[in-house]
Amino acid sequence: MDSAAEWDERYRNADRLWTSDVNPALIAEVAELAAGTALDIGSGEGADARWLADQGWQVTAVDISQVAVDRAREIDPRDTITWLRADVSVDAIPGRDFGLVSLQYFPIARTDESTVRKILDAVGPGGHLLVVSHEAEGVRAHGRNPDDYYQPADWASLVAGAGSEASGPNQHGAGSEASGTGAGWTIVTHDSRERGIAAGGGAHTHDVVLHARRD
């Protein structure tokens, strides 16, 4: 994973590193949920956090880059969003019992299971976990090997247990469901879908989405 200094440099070198579009899977999976507290991990310039706040969520938005955090806060200083600089691989999760924990294209090294467990522990009873990744080819288009990072299927195995019917993504369109239960979690959705809005210079066209609810 890139360091905080490297991310700061990327943000300094661009007026805007990402578009202001909300990630489509977030809208599809969260729009019908009752608002509560949300943790947006890897919040960048804040498009997803702003959308969540618009829906009534109280949002804690964290990013490894102080430049990104400062930029996002300047764009939207309202008190329903707490903008924090944090590296979740080494820092404590800022809060607990969240109603939603969202990770959109957030890389966690496969050797770093402790960070994954820490994030799972941040989801409160009845809360939701949403993990969205590029499909494998999209990851490779960014110069990374998908096998080096936790993918939605790996998260599904942790929350639903090996051998559950949700251990691999379904090749369905948005809104499809794959129900599986294990270890106090229910898999709501685990699928591969067209993103709708291509990104990454056109290389990123499909997402793999895991949405799980803590029982």
Side-chain angles (χ1 to χ4, degrees), residues 33 95 100-101 112 130 148 154-155 166 169-170 192 203 210:
L33 298 182
L100 170 69
V101 175
D112 190 12
L130 180 60
D148 292 341
D154 301 311
W155 291 82
N170 292 328
S192 175
L210 172 70

Side-chain angles (χ1 to χ4, degrees), residues 9 20 24 27 73 80 87 89 120 125 128 133 198:
E9 187 66 17
S20 59
I27 298 173
R73 185 185 295 114
T80 52
D87 178 355
S89 68
L120 290 175
H128 297 257
S133 176

Side-chain angles (χ1 to χ4, degrees), residues 34-197:
T37 57
L39 176 64
D40 182 15
I41 297 178
S43 53
E45 289 153 325
D48 285 359
R50 291 192 295 275
W51 180 84
L52 285 166
D54 288 343
Q55 311 311 305
W57 293 83
Q58 185 73 38
V59 185
T60 300
V62 300
D63 198 275
I64 195 173
S65 169
Q66 187 66 57
V67 177
V69 169
D70 291 343
R71 183 177 296 175
R73 185 185 295 114
E74 183 177 356
I75 293 170
D76 193 336
R78 60 182 145 165
D79 59 11
T80 52
I81 309 175
T82 301
W83 304 102
L84 296 175
R85 188 271 163 196
D87 178 355
V88 296
S89 68
V90 295
D91 298 325
I93 298 293
R96 58 182 300 174
D97 290 340
F98 288 98
L100 170 69
V101 175
S102 174
L103 300 90
Q104 305 280 323
Y105 319 109
F106 186 81
I108 298 176
R110 192 170 298 276
T111 56
D112 190 12
E113 184 175 334
S114 63
T115 294
V116 172
R117 296 287 184 183
K118 183 165 55 173
I119 292 169
L120 290 175
D121 287 344
V123 182
H128 297 257
L129 172 73
L130 180 60
V131 180
V132 181
S133 176
H134 305 296
E135 276 197 331
E137 288 307 311
V139 176
R140 294 186 183 98
H142 287 268
R144 300 181 186 272
N145 182 351
D147 294 336
D148 292 341
Y149 300 91
Y150 272 88
Q151 300 299 323
D154 301 311
W155 291 82
S157 292
L158 286 172
V159 302
S164 116
E165 65 182 281
S167 61
N170 292 328
Q171 303 298 317
H172 294 163
S176 60
E177 282 197 355
S179 292
T181 303
W185 291 83
T186 297
I187 301 294
V188 178
T189 306
H190 186 199
D191 65 18
S192 175
R193 63 180 69 164
E194 290 188 15
R195 191 173 190 274
I197 303 172

